[in-house]
Structures are given as structure tokens and as C-alpha cells.
Amino acid sequence: GLFRFRSLDLMMTSLDGYDPLQVQMMEEEVILVDEQDNVLGKASKKESHLAENIRKGMLHRAFSVFLFNTKGELLLQQRAAEKITFPAMWTNTCCSHPLYFPAEMDTTDAIGVKRAAQRKLLQELGIPPEQVPLSKFKFLTRMHYKAYQEDGKWAEHEVDHILFIQADVTVTPNANEVMAVQYVTQPALRELVATAAERDIKITPWFRLIGENFLYKWWDSLADLSAFGDDQVHKVGEH
């Protein structure tokens, strides 16, 4: 098919020296899509995040969850140092991928990405599914972005489905995924982003882009998001 990139050097790309649990998860199969988010096929998480494949156009489906408590504060996480892509960076509550199987590929009312979000909130942050029922997630839009890691080996190229949820939850971070968590107000997040460079705090590229393009207008309307949301794929950032 379209994405047969398995050159010899690709197969030889070594995951030696990385965390074994994270290496194992690089075998998960993500959903390859075109720029309109139509399914093209599947690839391993490893294949879909190799910079050499992304330079050839490989694009996959992802989600970003923004979880707010009833005080309206946003839960941030700092990705674990063990993560292969964008380690030790601060980001929104949870960012991952729906996997290539029917329950998470179902696009009816964005139910597939909501199921994936519920799965990963449990796996990364220990949040019980009953505290984040599928019906409470609000799908807002999709963002198409690309970002290369400093090492030049790994990258992101995603159609990212943005989900909001407001719930008071119990958080028990999985240390292999998450180094730290923090609830922030709008002013605190604006200050964090503005002063990150001088304080040597790293922020994931997708979180920065969502903040620059979408986040605050929605955050202002948490009580009623019915006026927001669209079916578009917004291409943002550098491509």
C-alpha cells in the first residue's frame, strides 16, 4: 500500500538503551490517516514516530485530553524521563493515540478517541474510568501539526482530536509514564508558558500550539461549551 517504508535502515533503527516498558509500547498499532483524517492503514507506534517516515508524509491519528476540576483548574502532567518521544516535557493532561481496532476507530460522536482517552487516563494517571465516563468528554476539533524532536530521530505528525472533560478525579500517576502532575489556573499556565525558556522548563509542541490557537477561549466557557466545536481539521504550526 501507500505506506511501505520498511527500508533496511528503518528496520535497524535501534531501541537499545530505552526503557523496556516504553519499547514494548512502541509496538502498538496506531491509525494512519490522510490530511482529512480518513483512515489509510496502520503502523507501529515506532514506525509512525520515526522522523524519516514523517519526512515522507506518514501521518497518524491522536488525541489530547484537557481535564479540568470543578474549580476550573487544568491538570498538567510532566512526561516521564523514560518516554522515548518528548521525555520530561510538561503537557496537557493526557496525549496519546487511538489504536487500530474497531472500538477505537469508531468515529461516531468521536467515541473511538473518547474510549482511547479513557484507557490512557487510567494507564498513565490511574484515573478510574467511572470518574471520566465517555458521555462527559466533549470533542472540540482536530489539529494537524508536525514537530521534530531535538535528537532528529523521533517526531510527531498527527491529526490530534482535542477533548475536554470537567471532573474531580483521583490521580495516581504511573511513574513509567508521568514524572509529575500539577493543577493550574489560566494565569498560572500563561506564566508557565511565558517563562518556560528562562526556567529551563520544556513544553510539548502540541500543547504549545493548542494553547496558542484554541485553549483559552474554550477554557473561558467550560460551563457551556455547546457554542464551540467543529468538524474541521485545522492545520497549524510549521509543516
Side-chain angles (χ1 to χ4, degrees), residues 115-129:
R115 288 174 178 140
Q118 195 183 55
R119 170 176 60 81
K120 289 298 288 186
L121 285 168
L122 176 63
Q123 191 260 330
E124 293 188 3
L125 293 161
I127 298 172

Side-chain angles (χ1 to χ4, degrees), residues 5-48:
F5 290 145
R6 297 169 186 271
S7 59
L8 186 60
D9 58 331
L10 171 68
M11 297 304 286
M12 299 306 290
T13 299
S14 174
L15 288 169
D16 291 352
Y18 289 109
D19 177 80
L21 281 174
Q22 290 296 323
V23 168
Q24 192 180 336
M25 292 184 70
M26 286 300 253
E27 296 310 310
E28 291 180 340
E29 290 187 324
V30 301
I31 304 163
L32 297 181
V33 293
D34 65 15
E35 292 197 5
Q36 284 71 50
D37 198 32
N38 300 305
V39 175
L40 295 176
K42 62 183 179 178
S44 71
K45 203 162 119 187
K46 174 186 170 183
E47 287 174 306
S48 64

Side-chain angles (χ1 to χ4, degrees), residues 10-232:
L10 171 68
M11 297 304 286
M12 299 306 290
T13 299
S14 174
L15 288 169
D16 291 352
Y18 289 109
D19 177 80
L21 281 174
Q22 290 296 323
V23 168
Q24 192 180 336
M25 292 184 70
M26 286 300 253
E27 296 310 310
E28 291 180 340
E29 290 187 324
V30 301
I31 304 163
L32 297 181
V33 293
D34 65 15
E35 292 197 5
Q36 284 71 50
D37 198 32
N38 300 305
V39 175
L40 295 176
K42 62 183 179 178
S44 71
K45 203 162 119 187
K46 174 186 170 183
E47 287 174 306
S48 64
H49 288 80
L50 280 168
E52 63 180 287
N53 283 343
I54 286 170
R55 279 191 289 270
K56 295 171 189 168
M58 193 181 272
L59 174 66
H60 62 276
R61 185 177 292 165
F63 67 82
S64 280
V65 175
F66 289 74
L67 183 147
F68 303 85
N69 61 20
T70 49
K71 290 190 284 188
E73 298 167 329
L74 172 61
L75 180 62
L76 304 185
Q77 64 153 287
Q78 184 181 18
R79 292 162 67 85
E82 286 84 354
K83 298 287 281 186
I84 294 168
T85 56
F86 301 93
M89 290 193 177
W90 281 92
T91 196
N92 51 289
T93 314
C94 181
C95 334
S96 191
H97 315 90
L99 300 180
Y100 191 86
F101 65 92
E104 293 192 6
M105 295 174 75
D106 188 345
T107 54
T108 312
D109 193 32
I111 196 72
V113 289
K114 292 173 184 177
R115 288 174 178 140
Q118 195 183 55
R119 170 176 60 81
K120 289 298 288 186
L121 285 168
L122 176 63
Q123 191 260 330
E124 293 188 3
L125 293 161
I127 298 172
E130 57 270 20
Q131 293 183 357
V132 284
L134 297 178
S135 60
K136 284 189 87 164
F137 285 95
K138 166 75 172 172
F139 166 76
L140 283 155
T141 195
R142 294 172 288 183
M143 178 183 80
H144 175 196
Y145 78 96
K146 185 189 287 186
Y148 291 93
Q149 201 164 289
E150 286 175 2
D151 63 9
K153 179 175 171 182
W154 303 103
E156 287 289 4
H157 189 208
E158 299 183 330
V159 174
D160 193 12
H161 295 231
I162 302 173
L163 301 170
F164 269 34
I165 185 167
Q166 189 165 19
D168 289 326
V169 296
T170 50
V171 179
T172 314
N174 171 355
N176 191 253
E177 293 280 347
V178 176
M179 193 189 297
V181 292
Q182 177 78 45
Y183 279 99
V184 291
T185 60
Q186 276 205 38
L189 180 59
R190 288 182 188 275
E191 185 187 359
L192 173 73
V193 172
T195 61
E198 65 203 56
R199 292 159 65 194
D200 202 30
I201 294 169
K202 290 193 162 50
I203 294 170
T204 63
W206 61 89
F207 184 35
R208 197 178 281 276
L209 286 168
I210 294 169
E212 289 167 1
N213 290 277
F214 305 107
L215 175 61
Y216 294 104
K217 63 185 177 192
W218 295 335
W219 196 343
D220 286 335
S221 301
L222 270 185
D224 182 12
L225 287 162
S226 57
F228 297 93
D230 62 54
D231 290 328
Q232 297 174 46

